[in-house]
Amino acid sequence: MEFRIADTFTDSLGRLTGDEQKLVKTTAFDLQLNPASPGMNFHKLDRARDQNFWSVRVGSDIRLIVHRSETSLLLCYVDHHDKAYEWAERRKLETHPKTGAAQLIEIRETVQEIVVPVYVQSELPLPATPAKPAPAAKLLFLAVSEDELLSYGVPPEWLPDVKRATEDSLLALADHLPAEAAEALLELATGGKPRLPTPSTVNPFDHPDAQRRFRVMSNVEELQSALDYPWEKWTVFLHPEQRQWVERDFNGPARVAGSAGTGKTIVALHRAAYLARQHPDARVLLTTFSNTLANALQSKLNRLLTHEPRLAERIDVHSLEAIGLRLHKTQVGVAKLASREEILQLVGDAATAVPGHRFGRHFLLTEWEQVVDAWQLDHWEAYRDVVRLGRKTRLPEAQRAVLWAIFEHVRAGLRDKGLVTASGLFTALAHALKARGNPVFDFAVVDEAQDIGVAHLRFLAALGGQFGGGEGAVRPNALFFAGDLGQRIFQQPFSWKSLGVDVRGRSRTLRVNYRTSHQIRSQADRLLGPGVTDVDGNTEDRSDTVSVFNGPPPRIQIFNDAEEESAAIGRWLAECGSAGILPHEIGVFVRSAAQIDRAEDAVRLAALPYQILDEHVATKHDHVSISTMHLVKGLEFRAVAVMACDDEVIPLQERIETVGDNGDLQEVYDSERQLLYVACTRARDRLLVTGTKPSSEFLDDLTGG
């Protein structure tokens, strides 16, 4: 007997409490081992339209809905008694007449009306505006034939509703349709052309669309893995539309882009696994900019390759700093990295040693980090002529000469102490790799690529270099990047093409958001513009991004003081727990370490265990994660509270006070907006953004005020 689980089952399992989930998992294991056991309390659902629906008793009030036949058992849904029965009475399992895919269909007659949710965007008072007559709503799919709609997987009984769909009602309608139909309609509505599914197969469960929602559980270990991460199944799910970018051959470096939640990391994970499968003798590097994110990538890769441990052994997952230190040790020699505190001290000493200037230490530090050290400028002429992209303050040659005298002191101080900066380490490593006759890694996949620096890219270009080929040539498929220019919070912009990494013509922007609700995504998008272009002219258009599911609107609240704020967040955290959200599925974020105490106070009031993340700490099971915004890049949570968004906290007043001119001020504001955007878009289902009076001006942007 084939034993399957549906995505509707894992979704519903994730909404139960921890104790309820344990009971359900025990019952699921028993069903897999012996579905005919006399101990299984099967009850036929006489009121269900589909006569193959049965309920299985789990404890006193929890019921598991299964679809049962002579040859298969499908776990479909789990909930408290009345809700579970109601779900089954409104569904049926069918094979689509056009695509041939198995679908769990919501019965149209049981839906009295498609209710369009009316969401309050903010709890802040908004200015009153005169009422205007609403224009007639445009019917989105009036010109699309029924046969074409059927080819996208729309169930026949839902065709009339699809024909009546408007921009306002589309997302509400999508909640009632199979995923492939909903996503095709969203793509049509935004001007795209969905790809037609694979022709029908003999077994409706073998169709690619069906394989997205029904998984065969071959053994207890596979079921254990599926049930251990019920809400996180989407963290490794590859949409069929994305598969083409995973499996494509590229004749040079390639990049996938897209706003938060569009699946860039998922594509990167599957790309690394695909390359390892296709090249059995190859070693693959999967890397990113921080240890925290590298730990998260490793966890997701483990889940993705649970049943392919040999494959996982050939994929090295490291942060850039970790792999850089390791390779430098073997290729160049042991390196002693200078800490930021040591650099600060050297810059301060150098500023004092060179008299007669008015450059502040913050300006000197950023000029060192973003220009001199980043580009590894080692003589006066190089600094005199460098194009200072991203550094708006204009510097005439006389001022540059004074600055170079200061930076010469910094360089001498590093040499005297036997220290090397990260940029120096990666530059030396790049030279060593170019001199090799064979690659250290056959392929490199880089996540969160918008935050890699100049020296990082030099290293990666050397890693993917064409040995024996021309200068700057990159081997086919050797380099694959995933990132979002709108989430750049660590690095100044620079030209990739100038370093031999040209992704023009091999760059794709993902448009469908599978992780973040429509309400969270659309509100967070107010912080950024509709598109962004890099130095090399590659443009990422964000205006047509769509989310595939609805959720509650984000709450944006301003309080009189920090004590009142912490109390409100404590209550909100308790609400999340009552809704079945587990502690490790919750994040509480602040701008800087100075606000961590406020976050701790809020979580303590909710009586929840917590941990404070740093670069070397992975998220811990059953603990709320407290973190600064910079450290949450790439992480994902069901519920997120972004707190302490006060005036002078974000944007950070300390950064504003060190600005040289209006150009630099704009860069500060842009990067601070992107930082808040990153924090907000870590949330899948629930988002709370708070501050105290006077609050951050960015909260007005979030609410449209």
Side-chain angles (χ1 to χ4, degrees), residues 35 72 76 100 123 125 157 182 196 207 235 252 291 295 322 366 371 381 393 495 513 530 593 686:
S72 67
C76 298
E123 298 195 11
E157 61 196 83
L196 289 175
H207 191 284
T235 65
N291 290 315
N295 290 334
T366 54
V371 181
E381 289 78 13
T393 304
S495 170
N513 186 315
R686 298 181 181 223

Side-chain angles (χ1 to χ4, degrees), residues 489-528:
I489 60 176
F490 287 107
Q491 298 292 338
Q492 294 292 313
F494 64 94
S495 170
W496 284 26
K497 184 163 65 73
S498 69
L499 298 177
V501 181
D502 188 358
V503 297
R504 292 176 302 171
R506 292 182 295 274
S507 183
R508 161 76 174 184
T509 301
L510 305 176
R511 300 189 304 107
V512 182
N513 186 315
Y514 305 98
R515 187 190 73 205
T516 305
S517 72
H518 168 73
Q519 287 69 29
I520 293 173
R521 180 196 58 77
S522 58
Q523 199 142 2
D525 279 351
R526 294 178 178 178
L527 291 167
L528 305 178

Side-chain angles (χ1 to χ4, degrees), residues 689-705:
V689 184
T690 66
T692 60
K693 297 178 181 177
S695 64
S696 167
E697 61 194 271
F698 292 163
L699 298 192
D700 291 336
D701 298 323
L702 275 172
T703 59

Side-chain angles (χ1 to χ4, degrees), residues 31 155 218 267 348 384 463 547 654:
L31 278 170
S218 303
V267 171
R384 180 192 63 195
L463 200 66
S547 297
E654 295 171 20

Side-chain angles (χ1 to χ4, degrees), residues 2 57 96 142 205 296 337 395 506 527 530 564 590 676:
E2 286 194 313
R57 182 185 178 90
H96 191 278
L142 190 61
F205 286 101
L337 272 182
L395 292 175
R506 292 182 295 274
L527 291 167
E564 184 180 311
V590 291
L676 182 57

Side-chain angles (χ1 to χ4, degrees), residues 370-371 387-393 488 492-494 535 663-664 667:
Q370 297 171 8
V371 181
V387 178
R388 300 165 64 254
L389 284 171
R391 300 286 287 166
K392 307 298 193 304
T393 304
R488 179 181 56 80
Q492 294 292 313
F494 64 94
V535 174
D664 285 338
E667 172 63 24

Side-chain angles (χ1 to χ4, degrees), residues 364-657:
L364 291 172
L365 178 65
T366 54
E367 184 76 1
W368 165 263
E369 290 179 334
Q370 297 171 8
V371 181
V372 178
D373 187 46
W375 290 96
Q376 286 290 286
L377 306 178
D378 57 5
H379 57 279
W380 153 244
E381 289 78 13
Y383 181 60
R384 180 192 63 195
D385 300 334
V386 70
V387 178
R388 300 165 64 254
L389 284 171
R391 300 286 287 166
K392 307 298 193 304
T393 304
R394 289 183 291 275
L395 292 175
E397 185 171 324
Q399 289 185 333
R400 290 202 189 197
V402 175
L403 286 167
W404 184 248
I406 295 172
F407 297 138
E408 282 277 47
H409 278 276
V410 177
R411 285 165 46 81
L414 288 169
R415 288 194 300 269
D416 292 344
K417 293 176 178 291
L419 298 175
V420 63
T421 64
S423 292
L425 178 142
F426 281 104
T427 300
L429 185 53
H431 289 311
L433 292 179
K434 286 180 180 178
R436 285 175 56 92
N438 59 293
V440 178
F441 288 98
D442 300 279
F443 307 101
V445 178
V446 185
D447 193 27
E448 300 292 350
Q450 74 281 345
D451 277 315
I452 63 175
V454 173
H456 295 140
L457 194 64
R458 279 180 170 153
F459 156 68
L460 291 165
L463 200 66
Q466 187 74 264
F467 295 92
E471 179 68 22
V474 174
R475 302 191 312 278
N477 297 317
L479 297 179
F480 188 89
F481 301 91
D484 173 17
L485 294 175
Q487 296 183 61
R488 179 181 56 80
I489 60 176
F490 287 107
Q491 298 292 338
Q492 294 292 313
F494 64 94
S495 170
W496 284 26
K497 184 163 65 73
S498 69
L499 298 177
V501 181
D502 188 358
V503 297
R504 292 176 302 171
R506 292 182 295 274
S507 183
R508 161 76 174 184
T509 301
L510 305 176
R511 300 189 304 107
V512 182
N513 186 315
Y514 305 98
R515 187 190 73 205
T516 305
S517 72
H518 168 73
Q519 287 69 29
I520 293 173
R521 180 196 58 77
S522 58
Q523 199 142 2
D525 279 351
R526 294 178 178 178
L527 291 167
L528 305 178
V532 61
T533 301
D534 68 14
V535 174
D536 295 324
N538 297 293
T539 298
E540 297 176 10
D541 182 5
R542 315 166 67 87
S543 61
D544 57 355
T545 301
V546 293
S547 297
V548 299
F549 66 96
N550 274 310
R555 296 189 201 175
I556 301 172
Q557 297 177 279
I558 297 173
F559 301 95
N560 292 315
D561 53 46
E563 184 176 345
E564 184 180 311
E565 178 190 40
S566 292
I569 292 174
R571 291 191 296 271
W572 181 81
L573 292 172
E575 289 176 17
C576 291
S578 299
I581 299 176
L582 302 177
H584 68 276
E585 299 168 352
I586 301 172
V588 180
F589 309 145
V590 291
R591 168 61 180 83
S592 306
Q595 296 88 43
I596 287 288
D597 289 347
R598 288 168 64 173
E600 290 187 86
D601 290 342
V603 180
R604 285 195 199 102
L605 288 171
L608 291 172
Y610 67 87
Q611 63 168 351
I612 299 174
L613 297 183
D614 63 35
E615 289 189 3
H616 305 287
V617 174
T619 54
K620 187 185 299 182
H621 192 70
D622 289 335
H623 283 63
V624 173
S625 293
I626 294 176
S627 177
T628 60
M629 296 180 185
H630 281 90
L631 289 180
V632 300
K633 283 293 298 292
L635 302 183
E636 301 148 350
F637 299 86
R638 286 182 69 185
V640 165
V642 183
M643 62 180 294
C645 296
D646 307 342
D647 185 39
E648 298 192 358
V649 172
I650 185 165
L652 191 62
Q653 186 65 22
E654 295 171 20
R655 294 189 66 197
I656 293 173
E657 290 174 351

